[in-house]
Amino acid sequence: MNKKAFEQYNNFTKQRDQLLTRREELDTSAKSIDELIANLDMRKDEAIERTFKQVAKNFEEVFEKLVPAGRGKLIIQRRMDQGDDGDADDEDVDDTQKSTVDNYTGISIKVSFNSKVDEGLRIQQLSGGQKSLVALATVFAIQKCDPAPFYLFDEIDANLDAQYRTAVAAMIHELSDKAQFITTTFRPEMLVSADKFYGVTFNNQKVSSIRSIKREEAQEFVDQVCSFSYFHCLTSLTSFCRRRKPSDRRLCLISNIVGVCYLY
């Protein structure tokens, strides 16, 4: 007869009870962690849905201001929509299907420039100028939702028609109350909304400096540049620059609405 059997039994029983207690604690902790993850996922889903809806609403409003005769729409794409080319509206998606961000695959854009009832074109079907305008509308829509301190645009109006350049300038003027905008341009429409103008001089020592200039001087520069075609401007630029002082051969506009315009 093993005289230590009872003692070993008690020890093993105690160890088993400790392990069972530890397992219960781990199970409870795992359940708490799962609940926390589910709660964070739900809050993340809600934040993404809320942000997208706000940006999508802003996009429609901004695009309508830029293109009064047309309309634009942001569409969130989900995995279950891929069979339908990702164009299903939010109202048509079951709540259980759209409950997780894992279902999201991207965002598509549909716009119409000449009708408010047409189905609209995809971004791939647009011209270069139309794509530029849609990109600007997206930036402005995000800016309305979460403004940045300042924006730096480089010739954003280069591919736009005159009516759209005017609309973009008006939109920048409207948004300039909450942010600073600096942009480069060779077009006169931006000058109308500018608050301040500066010239960037480039001397013979290849050193740049900035000086304040008047609106009339900036307008004169842009008007002369616009009087040339793109090809003629490249071939005639040297003779044009020689008529100016060496320190004035590079001119720019800069303000909290419309920014920099360089002549190389």
Side-chain angles (χ1 to χ4, degrees), residues 89-100:
D89 293 335
D90 290 342
E91 298 84 359
D92 300 332
V93 181
D94 187 80
D95 290 337
T96 58
Q97 292 180 316
K98 64 176 184 178
S99 61
T100 175

Side-chain angles (χ1 to χ4, degrees), residues 17-264:
D17 293 341
Q18 291 176 346
L19 292 174
L20 290 175
T21 302
R22 180 59 177 162
R23 187 181 70 174
E24 291 177 359
E25 293 176 352
L26 292 175
D27 290 341
T28 303
S29 299
K31 184 178 179 180
S32 299
I33 293 174
D34 290 339
E35 291 176 352
L36 176 61
I37 292 175
N39 183 48
L40 292 177
D41 284 343
M42 182 179 63
R43 292 170 61 183
K44 178 181 65 175
D45 295 348
E46 292 174 352
I48 291 178
E49 289 279 356
R50 181 173 61 254
T51 303
F52 172 77
K53 288 180 179 179
Q54 184 62 49
V55 173
K57 179 182 177 182
N58 293 340
F59 179 82
E60 293 183 13
E61 294 175 353
V62 169
F63 192 84
E64 186 174 359
K65 289 183 179 180
L66 297 179
V67 188
R71 68 183 182 94
K73 184 177 183 181
L74 294 180
I75 304 172
I76 195 166
Q77 294 179 317
R78 299 181 174 86
R79 297 185 188 279
M80 72 286 296
D81 301 332
Q82 290 181 347
D84 300 326
D85 297 329
D87 296 336
D89 293 335
D90 290 342
E91 298 84 359
D92 300 332
V93 181
D94 187 80
D95 290 337
T96 58
Q97 292 180 316
K98 64 176 184 178
S99 61
T100 175
V101 176
D102 294 337
N103 288 327
Y104 302 151
T105 60
I107 294 175
S108 62
I109 300 177
K110 275 195 172 183
V111 295
S112 174
F113 281 79
N114 52 19
S115 175
K116 293 184 179 295
V117 296
D118 289 348
E119 182 180 354
L121 302 175
R122 296 180 181 274
I123 192 70
Q124 298 86 349
Q125 299 173 293
L126 303 179
S127 65
Q130 291 173 334
K131 289 180 180 178
S132 298
L133 194 64
V134 171
L136 288 172
T138 305
V139 172
F140 294 148
I142 297 174
Q143 195 270 344
K144 282 177 169 287
C145 184
D146 185 17
F150 74 94
Y151 295 84
L152 179 60
F153 293 144
D154 182 17
E155 292 189 59
I156 57 175
D157 55 352
N159 296 324
L160 302 182
D161 294 337
Q163 59 176 339
Y164 298 140
R165 292 198 297 268
T166 302
V168 169
M171 178 62 63
I172 292 177
H173 187 279
E174 176 185 337
L175 298 177
S176 63
D177 292 337
K178 297 182 179 179
Q180 184 180 44
F181 288 85
I182 303 172
T183 184
T184 67
T185 182
F186 284 104
R187 307 295 185 177
E189 287 79 9
M190 287 286 188
L191 305 182
V192 178
S193 301
D195 285 341
K196 297 180 181 179
F197 304 84
Y198 294 87
V200 176
T201 60
F202 189 68
N203 57 28
N204 294 330
Q205 286 74 33
K206 298 182 179 180
V207 177
S208 298
S209 59
I210 299 177
R211 64 181 178 85
S212 178
I213 62 175
K214 296 181 179 180
R215 182 189 299 269
E216 292 75 16
E217 186 177 355
Q219 186 69 50
E220 178 186 0
F221 165 74
V222 172
D223 289 343
Q224 292 190 53
V225 172
C226 291
S227 66
F228 298 101
S229 65
Y230 180 73
F231 176 79
H232 186 67
C233 181
L234 290 179
T235 57
S236 305
L237 193 54
T238 302
S239 60
F240 174 76
C241 290
R242 285 174 179 170
R243 293 196 296 270
R244 305 182 64 88
K245 295 186 297 182
S247 60
D248 292 336
R249 289 182 184 175
R250 178 185 289 185
L251 181 65
C252 85
L253 311 157
I254 185 170
S255 76
N256 54 341
I257 294 180
V258 62
V260 188
C261 177
Y262 291 100
L263 173 63
Y264 291 95

